[in-house]
Amino acid sequence: QQQMQQQQQQQQELQLPDEEWARRLQQEYDEEVAAKVKRASFTCPLCFEADKAFDDSVELDCLHRLCSGCFHALLEVHIREKRVGPKELCCPMPGCVCEITPAQVEGAMGGSALWERFLTARAEQWKPGSRDKDILCECPNPGCGARFLRARVRMREVRCPECREKFCPACKCRHKGVSCDDYQKWKRENDTAEAAFENLMQQEGWKRCPCCQAPCERQWGCNFMTCHSRQCGGAKNFCYICGVELTKEQHFTHFPQGIFRDQCKGPDDDGVWEEPPAPIEAAPPQRAVQAGPLEWLGRAFAELRQAWVQQCPL
């Protein structure tokens, strides 16, 4: 019976006109093309646009795939802010710390001004290893800023090979015959520019990072601040209200009224989350039970007996 049905169907198809045959073939071709496009496309996890072509995307080493537009925008933001360290320029997916390699950055930004800025920022962040025999020095002269290596020995002064200026390699100041602590103390007491800047910070409400003492200004956003100075590199967080260092777990627990309110737990916050007290549930109202005739009589006799005992004591 199935063979007969197939034969009848084949005979009906042979009797179809050419236009119908052409329409069916075009429909099958369109379905095949749509299936291939669907297999060769993806949804970008950043812009959430579907049907993105694989050819117009970038796959990171963690196998997360981004569209080219979002990848370029991500690189541009990080490079302009000079957040290009291995722990800063990472996959944007939550919980993923896979580094975006310099080769991937060059493939997207090679030959542009952003690529040159990326190389400059990486060079500024480079430091010798702890086992190297040399340490890195940076000239504090505003017109120089040269970076050079010197032997890992205790030295009171070094000379810049570019501008020939001498300075202390520890605090990057010139204080011959005086210790760094004494010079910094004298500078705080006598430097009018430093005092004027401190007054300006108080007037504007700026805060210093508790780890590197870099001045920070909150232009918008919440009170949970992340310091992106050269020393901290985005690894340190602090409260913009009380100035205490915070952990990532204290992003919300440190601000009981919300991260956008100017109220926090203060410097004594130990980071322990305290559960709010459970609301006291009111006892359900007791339902009055109507007494039966026997209970009413018993209660009446008890009241009469008590009245009689009070009137006739023994």
Side-chain angles (χ1 to χ4, degrees):
Q1 186 176 0
Q2 293 180 354
Q3 292 179 356
M4 293 178 61
Q5 291 178 356
Q6 292 177 358
Q7 291 177 359
Q8 291 177 0
Q9 185 177 359
Q10 292 176 358
Q11 291 177 0
Q12 291 177 0
E13 292 178 353
L14 293 174
Q15 295 175 2
L16 292 175
D18 296 341
E19 296 180 357
E20 182 65 20
W21 270 107
R23 188 188 67 79
R24 290 194 176 188
L25 290 175
Q26 183 65 36
Q27 183 179 359
E28 293 179 0
Y29 175 77
D30 293 341
E31 292 176 355
E32 292 180 359
V33 171
K36 290 181 179 179
V37 170
K38 187 175 182 180
R39 289 195 299 268
S41 62
F42 73 104
T43 300
C44 178
L46 295 184
C47 63
F48 298 105
E49 291 189 11
D51 299 332
K52 289 282 188 177
F54 277 93
D55 297 337
D56 190 23
S57 65
V58 177
E59 186 180 63
L60 304 180
D61 295 343
C62 54
L63 302 182
H64 286 137
R65 185 177 293 274
L66 311 175
C67 69
S68 298
C70 291
F71 185 67
H72 279 76
L74 176 70
L75 293 180
E76 182 177 358
V77 171
H78 278 262
I79 294 174
R80 290 192 183 280
E81 297 179 357
K82 289 191 175 183
R83 295 189 291 116
V84 296
K87 296 182 179 181
E88 297 174 318
L89 191 57
C90 302
C91 174
M93 299 306 297
C96 185
V97 293
C98 179
E99 177 189 0
I100 298 178
T101 62
Q104 293 170 335
V105 178
E106 183 180 10
M109 299 291 182
S112 64
L114 288 175
W115 170 244
E116 297 297 329
R117 184 177 176 84
F118 170 80
L119 295 178
T120 303
R122 271 296 179 96
E124 292 176 354
Q125 293 182 358
W126 180 84
K127 293 181 180 179
S130 58
R131 297 183 179 180
D132 294 341
K133 297 181 180 180
D134 299 329
I135 62 174
L136 184 66
C137 291
E138 184 175 356
C139 179
N141 190 352
C144 180
R147 308 172 82 234
F148 57 94
L149 297 174
R150 70 168 181 85
R152 193 182 289 274
V153 294
R154 188 176 181 84
M155 300 175 64
R156 290 187 176 273
E157 281 188 335
V158 294
R159 184 186 296 273
C160 175
E162 296 291 334
C163 65
R164 311 302 297 175
E165 289 286 337
K166 292 183 178 180
F167 61 93
C168 172
C171 64
K172 298 181 180 180
C173 296
R174 190 169 185 175
H175 51 84
K176 188 175 181 179
V178 182
S179 64
C180 294
D181 295 337
D182 293 340
Y183 174 75
Q184 294 296 332
K185 181 179 179 181
W186 175 88
K187 187 177 179 181
R188 286 192 298 267
E189 295 175 353
N190 299 274
D191 193 350
T192 57
E194 187 71 19
F197 183 72
E198 290 295 334
N199 293 333
L200 178 62
M201 286 191 60
Q202 292 181 1
Q203 293 175 6
E204 298 294 334
W206 299 341
K207 302 292 183 180
R208 289 187 181 272
C209 172
C211 302
C212 66
Q213 299 301 314
C216 301
E217 177 188 10
R218 189 196 70 172
Q219 296 181 345
W220 51 270
C222 67
N223 290 302
F224 184 86
M225 303 291 289
T226 301
C227 181
H228 290 283
S229 66
R230 184 177 298 181
Q231 179 178 340
C232 293
K236 299 296 183 179
N237 308 304
F238 66 96
C239 173
Y240 198 73
I241 302 173
C242 63
V244 68
E245 183 181 357
L246 301 177
T247 62
K248 291 183 177 180
E249 290 74 16
Q250 293 175 285
H251 194 155
F252 298 98
T253 59
H254 186 71
F255 308 97
Q257 302 298 327
I259 56 178
F260 296 99
R261 300 288 184 89
D262 293 335
Q263 184 179 357
C264 66
K265 291 185 177 181
D268 297 332
D269 183 14
D270 55 2
V272 179
W273 168 251
E274 297 179 359
E275 293 288 344
I280 301 175
E281 297 182 357
Q286 297 182 357
R287 186 178 178 182
V289 180
Q290 186 176 4
L294 294 179
E295 295 179 359
W296 182 84
L297 288 174
R299 192 181 306 157
F301 280 121
E303 293 176 356
L304 291 174
R305 183 175 182 278
Q306 185 177 3
W308 181 77
V309 170
Q310 292 178 353
Q311 292 178 2
C312 303
L314 296 177

